[in-house]
Amino acid sequence: MLLATACALLAPSMQAQAATPAVAWHATDADRADARALLEQIVAIPTAKGRAGVPRLVDVLAARLKAAGFADQDIVRVPITIDGEQTMGLIVRYAGRSPARRPVALLAHMDVVDAIAANWATDPYRPVEKDGYLYGRGTQDNKFGVAVLVATFARLKKSGWTPDRDLLLAFSGDEETGMLSTRRVIANPLVARAEYALNADAGGGSVSAQGVPIDFGMQAAEKTNATFEITALNKGGHSSVPRDDNAIYDLADALARLRALRFPVQFNPITRAMTVKAAGEADGRLAAALRTLLTNPTDASAIAVARQYPSTSTILWTTCVATMLRAGNAPNALPQNAVATVNCRILPGTPVADVQAAIERTVANPTLRVALVGEAVESPVSPVRPDLVAMLQHALEISWPGATLSPNMSSGGTEGREYRRAGIPTYGAGSLGMVMPQDARAHGTDERIPLASFYKELDYWDALIRQIGGKAR
């Protein structure tokens, strides 16, 4: 009941719009073999930072799309040199009949986090099929998305289908290491005028070992990732003459206080719906606490219970946690410096400066310095559109009948944050179903993708692209 209420609040016309779906197309064996061959080809190209593989991958994708009928002027390379290495983004325009309509951008990233080959059971850059899975770096994050989108664009182009509006592939070459190419792609006039974007790196969900759908999400928000350093400095001295003032002790005292830092419960439309859903699925104590917080976000008893379930309650508040330490310069010397790294995951709408100020108040030692490390990108919540939820729900039902889509917020980062901050509402899309937690191997050892789920993506994206490229209603 709670979940049904949340979906009704977010998408009141979803059921009515989804009641008249288009006739579903289903991939043939030849379509599946073609998409898989492309996935294996691009997984075999190392596109981690330092390997200079992204331009080679772009050449492969461009050749595939040109062979399908895309003109040279509709395949736009977006080169950029980062730390002395060239990478690039890729934009592909599928021209529509109504140029006045704003386009829709379809996102995926071509780069990967490098793999430690010695830790893998297979060569991470030689795709291998085992037990119904395709193993290889990037199979899950996010080359499957690249392969499915390119294969679908190519097949639709060959078939003679023409969308009513422009559809754009907008691929990044450094999503894992900075998103500078992402920003250049967004700045391109083709992409900058997009009405919204669909991110193939932020959709999908979980299924049981028997293939029964459990939970599928549509990312519409992300927490900001901000890293701070707390630094204690001291004149030091010989360890045989210890003093009360000590950089390590000062930092330790600060971290003990930081451990107790608590941010308030805050709801936006996405996290409120997620909390309603979580309350409907939780055990008695947690369910009661979440229901209480939905009506009274300051209830101390409910907050205390929710904090005992961090995997669920992280959506309720901003978090900061110490993750690294470095201190001292010799075992027989008083420390002259001590530094702690603190990583924060900040709810949308909370300024990073406010979080830094909260850390400084909590540390309560003016001799310590709290400094932001690198960049912290604040990104707003994308409004949940009933018409778009209905289209995504319809496509999901083609892949996983009976599955229900729920808008969600990610605690990790994707390039969706860059699109949102540029004013382009962005949503996770895709139906990749995995058995959790054993299939969650992105960035880790023996990354793999279930081939049965990969093949379902072809049906999903065909249905979705035909809907978003259809005539305006």
Side-chain angles (χ1 to χ4, degrees), residues 119-415:
N119 295 342
W120 281 55
T122 64
D123 184 331
Y125 294 110
R126 295 185 64 182
V128 174
E129 180 181 352
K130 290 197 308 179
D131 303 323
Y133 288 87
L134 186 69
Y135 285 74
R137 174 55 90 221
T139 48
Q140 179 183 337
D141 187 18
N142 178 243
K143 288 183 176 178
F144 89 87
V146 172
V148 168
L149 288 172
V150 169
T152 302
F153 258 42
R155 183 183 50 75
L156 288 171
K157 190 73 168 180
K158 284 182 180 178
S159 75
W161 180 76
T162 302
D164 188 65
R165 62 175 4 155
D166 282 5
L167 302 176
L168 307 172
L169 298 183
F171 293 166
S172 168
D174 71 331
E175 191 264 0
E176 302 288 7
T177 56
M179 305 198 197
L180 297 180
S181 72
T182 301
R183 294 176 187 178
R184 285 207 175 179
V185 168
I186 295 170
N188 184 282
L190 286 171
V191 179
R193 65 183 296 265
E195 181 181 346
Y196 58 86
L198 300 176
N199 188 357
D201 189 30
S206 60
V207 299
S208 71
Q210 293 73 39
V212 177
I214 298 173
D215 186 47
F216 282 82
M218 179 195 79
Q219 186 211 75
E222 299 179 32
K223 281 187 169 182
T224 300
N225 179 1
T227 298
F228 299 92
E229 284 187 345
I230 304 175
T231 302
L233 300 175
N234 191 281
K235 64 182 179 180
H238 200 283
S239 63
S240 65
V241 188
R243 304 186 308 272
D244 287 341
D245 62 301
N246 181 297
I248 290 177
Y249 295 157
D250 289 345
L251 183 62
D253 290 342
L255 291 177
R257 288 190 287 270
L258 184 70
R259 184 178 184 179
L261 174 59
R262 298 289 184 263
F263 290 89
V265 174
Q266 291 179 290
F267 289 112
N268 58 52
I270 303 301
T271 58
R272 180 171 289 278
M274 291 176 71
T275 304
V276 169
K277 182 174 184 290
E281 297 172 347
D283 64 20
R285 277 183 82 236
L286 178 58
L290 294 176
R291 292 190 183 99
T292 298
L293 292 173
L294 285 164
T295 57
N296 181 10
T298 64
D299 187 285
S301 297
I303 289 172
V305 171
R307 289 197 181 279
Q308 298 174 30
Y309 301 85
S311 61
T312 298
S313 62
T314 186
I315 64 174
L316 297 174
W317 41 60
T318 291
T319 62
C320 290
V321 60
T323 55
M324 297 174 65
L325 287 170
R326 63 183 188 272
N329 62 299
N332 59 348
L334 298 177
Q336 297 180 35
N337 53 65
V339 182
T341 300
V342 176
N343 185 252
C344 300
R345 302 291 172 143
I346 305 169
L347 286 174
T350 300
V352 173
D354 288 0
V355 175
Q356 181 170 345
I359 294 173
E360 291 170 343
R361 288 193 303 270
T362 302
V363 166
N365 186 339
T367 68
L368 302 187
R369 184 184 68 186
V370 178
L372 177 67
V373 178
E375 183 183 26
V377 177
E378 298 176 12
S379 182
V381 175
S382 295
V384 177
R385 293 175 40 163
D387 61 333
L388 183 54
V389 173
M391 289 189 285
L392 292 165
Q393 176 67 43
H394 166 58
L396 177 61
E397 288 171 350
I398 290 174
S399 293
W400 302 99
T404 300
L405 186 69
S406 301
N408 63 28
M409 177 186 70
S410 172
S411 59
T414 72
E415 61 190 321

Side-chain angles (χ1 to χ4, degrees), residues 20 133 154 215 221 251 287 294 343 364 419 421 436 440 458 466 471:
T20 56
Y133 288 87
D215 186 47
L251 183 62
L294 285 164
N343 185 252
Y419 282 80
R421 71 192 293 249
M436 295 298 188
L458 295 172
R466 289 179 187 273
K471 291 184 178 181

